[in-house]
Amino acid sequence: MHSRSGSTPEDEFRTVELERVTIVAESVLESRLIALVRELGARGWTLTEVRGEGSRGVRASEWEGKVKIETLVPKAVADRLLASLARDYFPHYAVVAYADRVRVVRGEKYS
Amino acid sequence: MHSRSGSTPEDEFRTVELERVTIVAESVLESRLIALVRELGARGWTLTEVRGEGSRGVRASEWEGKVKIETLVPKAVADRLLASLARDYFPHYAVVAYADRVRVVRGEKYS
Amino acid sequence: MHSRSGSTPEDEFRTVELERVTIVAESVLESRLIALVRELGARGWTLTEVRGEGSRGVRASEWEGKVKIETLVPKAVADRLLASLARDYFPHYAVVAYADRVRVVRGEKYS
């Protein structure tokens, strides 16, 4: 679950493999999505204001005023989050959601 | 090409593996790069205003006013896009381009 | 170390596998973190202004005014950078740091 890198004490650090879930959505959904992320078990998130265009969902035209929310979570939390988005948001909103795996320096609990 | 996660209906969602291509370039190239991304087959993109410094290309000094463009595409589209950037942009502009693999919740066609 | 994609000359490009190190921290640390990234061997970086909340470090409450710094570096540089952050920043600041692997179009030296 963790690895040590380097052979001298000053080079030591531990990492943990987590899923980074990325959600891109209209800004109007910001507070609801952050509440969802926390409710499903994430302990932190990063939000970036972006612009974008996509073919997903009810609005196919260009949309300004979007947010990208990223959160680092264990696989089980990632799957719950993606399932919740697919079920409750995809039918109604132009949300894009994806996950990839990252190696996180430990120092906190991520769930 | 897709997987199901969870065993109860409310947890079900399908994912597809796609390449996320990331392009970082001077803001002046924004509209040309978005046109290129669409022309080569991407159905969506996200743009973030960033700052940065890099050693690539004709200008090695610090440059403000950059954009980061991300697009989720099949591998073949990613390769065409990276090849086009390497051929037409790298000789003339301080563009950085890279790709990684992500697990995207289905709900639209990505090409 | 590199691959060729496509069979016609105009489709050829070479890629190199690098680590993308992502650091999220309070904006006040921006110049120190950029200096650290460069000092440890990175030749470029991208900075995005973000918002966020996290449980790591000395401040657990919500914090506005953060930056996300991304840099593409060889594995050895990534490990030195993560170790330095874990040792010198994690005890004092609410910094999050992680790495993942990306396929970068060549065109410069990354270290």
Side-chain angles (χ1 to χ4, degrees), chain B residues 51 53 55 68 87 99, chain C residues 10 38 45 47 70 108:
Chain B
R51 287 184 278 148
E53 186 181 27
S55 62
K68 176 163 74 168
R87 185 185 63 232
Chain C
E10 62 266 30
R38 298 195 62 106
W45 47 268
L47 182 146
E70 295 168 298
E108 69 174 309

Side-chain angles (χ1 to χ4, degrees), chain A residues 20-23 44-46 48 68-72, chain C residues 68 98:
Chain A
R20 169 177 48 188
V21 175
T22 302
I23 308 165
W45 47 267
T46 300
T48 311
K68 176 164 71 168
I69 297 170
E70 294 168 298
T71 185
L72 304 174
Chain C
K68 176 164 73 168
Y98 56 90

Side-chain angles (χ1 to χ4, degrees), chain C residues 38-93:
Chain C
R38 298 195 62 106
E39 178 193 322
L40 294 185
R43 300 204 170 198
W45 47 268
T46 300
L47 182 146
T48 310
E49 291 171 7
V50 299
R51 286 183 279 148
E53 186 181 26
S55 61
R56 249 236 74 249
V58 291
R59 291 209 246 163
S61 60
E62 183 160 349
W63 20 304
E64 303 263 337
K66 296 170 46 176
V67 290
K68 176 164 73 168
I69 298 170
E70 295 168 298
T71 185
L72 304 175
V73 292
K75 181 70 160 60
V77 175
D79 282 346
R80 283 202 298 272
L81 181 51
L82 296 177
S84 176
L85 291 166
R87 185 184 64 232
D88 300 331
Y89 285 81
F90 275 49
H92 309 295
Y93 304 104

